[in-house]
mmCIF file of all heavy atoms in Angstrom:
data_model
loop_
_atom_site.group_PDB
_atom_site.id
_atom_site.type_symbol
_atom_site.label_atom_id
_atom_site.label_comp_id
_atom_site.label_asym_id
_atom_site.label_seq_id
_atom_site.Cartn_x
_atom_site.Cartn_y
_atom_site.Cartn_z
ATOM 1 N N ASP A 94 -4.504 -9.681 25.903
ATOM 2 C CA ASP A 94 -5.698 -10.310 26.461
ATOM 3 C C ASP A 94 -6.659 -10.662 25.327
ATOM 4 O O ASP A 94 -6.366 -10.429 24.147
ATOM 5 C CB ASP A 94 -6.377 -9.410 27.496
ATOM 6 C CG ASP A 94 -6.660 -8.022 26.966
ATOM 7 O OD1 ASP A 94 -6.748 -7.855 25.738
ATOM 8 O OD2 ASP A 94 -6.803 -7.094 27.787
ATOM 9 N N ALA A 95 -7.820 -11.207 25.688
ATOM 10 C CA ALA A 95 -8.797 -11.656 24.695
ATOM 11 C C ALA A 95 -9.359 -10.492 23.887
ATOM 12 O O ALA A 95 -9.657 -10.630 22.699
ATOM 13 C CB ALA A 95 -9.933 -12.418 25.374
ATOM 14 N N THR A 96 -9.503 -9.331 24.491
ATOM 15 C CA THR A 96 -10.019 -8.158 23.773
ATOM 16 C C THR A 96 -9.055 -7.744 22.671
ATOM 17 O O THR A 96 -9.461 -7.492 21.525
ATOM 18 C CB THR A 96 -10.231 -6.983 24.758
ATOM 19 O OG1 THR A 96 -11.067 -7.425 25.828
ATOM 20 C CG2 THR A 96 -10.865 -5.806 24.062
ATOM 21 N N ASN A 97 -7.778 -7.668 22.993
ATOM 22 C CA ASN A 97 -6.780 -7.324 21.972
ATOM 23 C C ASN A 97 -6.694 -8.402 20.890
ATOM 24 O O ASN A 97 -6.440 -8.105 19.731
ATOM 25 C CB ASN A 97 -5.407 -7.120 22.610
ATOM 26 C CG ASN A 97 -5.312 -5.816 23.348
ATOM 27 O OD1 ASN A 97 -6.143 -4.929 23.161
ATOM 28 N ND2 ASN A 97 -4.316 -5.682 24.206
ATOM 29 N N PHE A 98 -6.884 -9.657 21.292
ATOM 30 C CA PHE A 98 -6.885 -10.742 20.315
ATOM 31 C C PHE A 98 -8.047 -10.589 19.336
ATOM 32 O O PHE A 98 -7.889 -10.774 18.131
ATOM 33 C CB PHE A 98 -6.959 -12.097 21.021
ATOM 34 C CG PHE A 98 -6.941 -13.262 20.072
ATOM 35 C CD1 PHE A 98 -5.802 -13.580 19.357
ATOM 36 C CD2 PHE A 98 -8.076 -14.042 19.886
ATOM 37 C CE1 PHE A 98 -5.773 -14.649 18.473
ATOM 38 C CE2 PHE A 98 -8.057 -15.114 19.007
ATOM 39 C CZ PHE A 98 -6.911 -15.419 18.300
ATOM 40 N N ASN A 99 -9.237 -10.228 19.831
ATOM 41 C CA ASN A 99 -10.393 -10.001 18.945
ATOM 42 C C ASN A 99 -10.148 -8.833 18.004
ATOM 43 O O ASN A 99 -10.538 -8.868 16.841
ATOM 44 C CB ASN A 99 -11.664 -9.779 19.765
ATOM 45 C CG ASN A 99 -12.147 -11.054 20.418
ATOM 46 O OD1 ASN A 99 -11.856 -12.143 19.934
ATOM 47 N ND2 ASN A 99 -12.862 -10.920 21.533
ATOM 48 N N VAL A 100 -9.486 -7.794 18.493
ATOM 49 C CA VAL A 100 -9.132 -6.669 17.633
ATOM 50 C C VAL A 100 -8.139 -7.132 16.568
ATOM 51 O O VAL A 100 -8.240 -6.760 15.392
ATOM 52 C CB VAL A 100 -8.551 -5.510 18.479
ATOM 53 C CG1 VAL A 100 -7.968 -4.427 17.585
ATOM 54 C CG2 VAL A 100 -9.628 -4.933 19.382
ATOM 55 N N HIS A 101 -7.183 -7.960 16.958
ATOM 56 C CA HIS A 101 -6.194 -8.476 16.008
ATOM 57 C C HIS A 101 -6.861 -9.314 14.906
ATOM 58 O O HIS A 101 -6.441 -9.259 13.745
ATOM 59 C CB HIS A 101 -5.152 -9.325 16.738
ATOM 60 C CG HIS A 101 -4.305 -10.155 15.821
ATOM 61 N ND1 HIS A 101 -3.332 -9.604 15.011
ATOM 62 C CD2 HIS A 101 -4.315 -11.488 15.547
ATOM 63 C CE1 HIS A 101 -2.766 -10.560 14.291
ATOM 64 N NE2 HIS A 101 -3.346 -11.721 14.599
ATOM 65 N N LEU A 102 -7.898 -10.066 15.255
ATOM 66 C CA LEU A 102 -8.574 -10.910 14.264
ATOM 67 C C LEU A 102 -9.202 -10.103 13.137
ATOM 68 O O LEU A 102 -9.358 -10.598 12.023
ATOM 69 C CB LEU A 102 -9.641 -11.782 14.932
ATOM 70 C CG LEU A 102 -9.109 -12.882 15.848
ATOM 71 C CD1 LEU A 102 -10.271 -13.651 16.463
ATOM 72 C CD2 LEU A 102 -8.192 -13.818 15.107
ATOM 73 N N THR A 103 -9.556 -8.854 13.397
ATOM 74 C CA THR A 103 -10.147 -8.005 12.358
ATOM 75 C C THR A 103 -9.127 -7.077 11.715
ATOM 76 O O THR A 103 -9.454 -6.350 10.782
ATOM 77 C CB THR A 103 -11.289 -7.160 12.945
ATOM 78 O OG1 THR A 103 -10.767 -6.343 13.992
ATOM 79 C CG2 THR A 103 -12.408 -8.036 13.462
ATOM 80 N N ALA A 104 -7.894 -7.102 12.182
ATOM 81 C CA ALA A 104 -6.852 -6.211 11.664
ATOM 82 C C ALA A 104 -6.341 -6.688 10.310
ATOM 83 O O ALA A 104 -6.495 -7.843 9.914
ATOM 84 C CB ALA A 104 -5.696 -6.123 12.657
ATOM 85 N N THR A 105 -5.710 -5.791 9.601
ATOM 86 C CA THR A 105 -5.222 -6.050 8.255
ATOM 87 C C THR A 105 -4.191 -7.176 8.226
ATOM 88 O O THR A 105 -4.218 -8.019 7.336
ATOM 89 C CB THR A 105 -4.584 -4.769 7.675
ATOM 90 O OG1 THR A 105 -5.530 -3.721 7.748
ATOM 91 C CG2 THR A 105 -4.153 -4.973 6.242
ATOM 92 N N LYS A 106 -3.293 -7.203 9.182
ATOM 93 C CA LYS A 106 -2.232 -8.211 9.184
ATOM 94 C C LYS A 106 -2.822 -9.619 9.248
ATOM 95 O O LYS A 106 -2.417 -10.512 8.503
ATOM 96 C CB LYS A 106 -1.285 -7.982 10.358
ATOM 97 C CG LYS A 106 -0.133 -8.953 10.403
ATOM 98 C CD LYS A 106 0.838 -8.610 11.512
ATOM 99 C CE LYS A 106 2.016 -9.562 11.495
ATOM 100 N NZ LYS A 106 3.009 -9.213 12.510
ATOM 101 N N HIS A 107 -3.791 -9.828 10.123
ATOM 102 C CA HIS A 107 -4.390 -11.153 10.269
ATOM 103 C C HIS A 107 -5.227 -11.513 9.046
ATOM 104 O O HIS A 107 -5.162 -12.643 8.551
ATOM 105 C CB HIS A 107 -5.254 -11.216 11.532
ATOM 106 C CG HIS A 107 -5.831 -12.572 11.782
ATOM 107 N ND1 HIS A 107 -5.099 -13.596 12.340
ATOM 108 C CD2 HIS A 107 -7.058 -13.077 11.520
ATOM 109 C CE1 HIS A 107 -5.849 -14.671 12.430
ATOM 110 N NE2 HIS A 107 -7.058 -14.384 11.941
ATOM 111 N N VAL A 108 -6.004 -10.561 8.553
ATOM 112 C CA VAL A 108 -6.849 -10.827 7.386
ATOM 113 C C VAL A 108 -5.990 -11.160 6.170
ATOM 114 O O VAL A 108 -6.285 -12.081 5.402
ATOM 115 C CB VAL A 108 -7.776 -9.617 7.109
ATOM 116 C CG1 VAL A 108 -8.503 -9.770 5.796
ATOM 117 C CG2 VAL A 108 -8.757 -9.435 8.255
ATOM 118 N N THR A 109 -4.892 -10.441 5.999
ATOM 119 C CA THR A 109 -3.991 -10.702 4.878
ATOM 120 C C THR A 109 -3.335 -12.080 5.011
ATOM 121 O O THR A 109 -3.247 -12.824 4.032
ATOM 122 C CB THR A 109 -2.900 -9.614 4.811
ATOM 123 O OG1 THR A 109 -3.526 -8.356 4.714
ATOM 124 C CG2 THR A 109 -1.986 -9.823 3.623
ATOM 125 N N ALA A 110 -2.894 -12.420 6.210
ATOM 126 C CA ALA A 110 -2.272 -13.726 6.414
ATOM 127 C C ALA A 110 -3.273 -14.851 6.197
ATOM 128 O O ALA A 110 -2.941 -15.889 5.617
ATOM 129 C CB ALA A 110 -1.679 -13.810 7.824
ATOM 130 N N LEU A 111 -4.517 -14.645 6.632
ATOM 131 C CA LEU A 111 -5.560 -15.650 6.430
ATOM 132 C C LEU A 111 -5.866 -15.835 4.947
ATOM 133 O O LEU A 111 -5.976 -16.970 4.462
ATOM 134 C CB LEU A 111 -6.819 -15.245 7.202
ATOM 135 C CG LEU A 111 -7.937 -16.255 7.293
ATOM 136 C CD1 LEU A 111 -7.446 -17.520 7.977
ATOM 137 C CD2 LEU A 111 -9.109 -15.667 8.050
#
Side-chain angles (χ1 to χ4, degrees):
D94 53 23
T96 306
N97 285 344
F98 181 69
N99 288 335
V100 171
H101 166 72
L102 291 179
T103 60
T105 305
K106 182 175 183 177
H107 183 79
V108 171
T109 303
L111 189 60

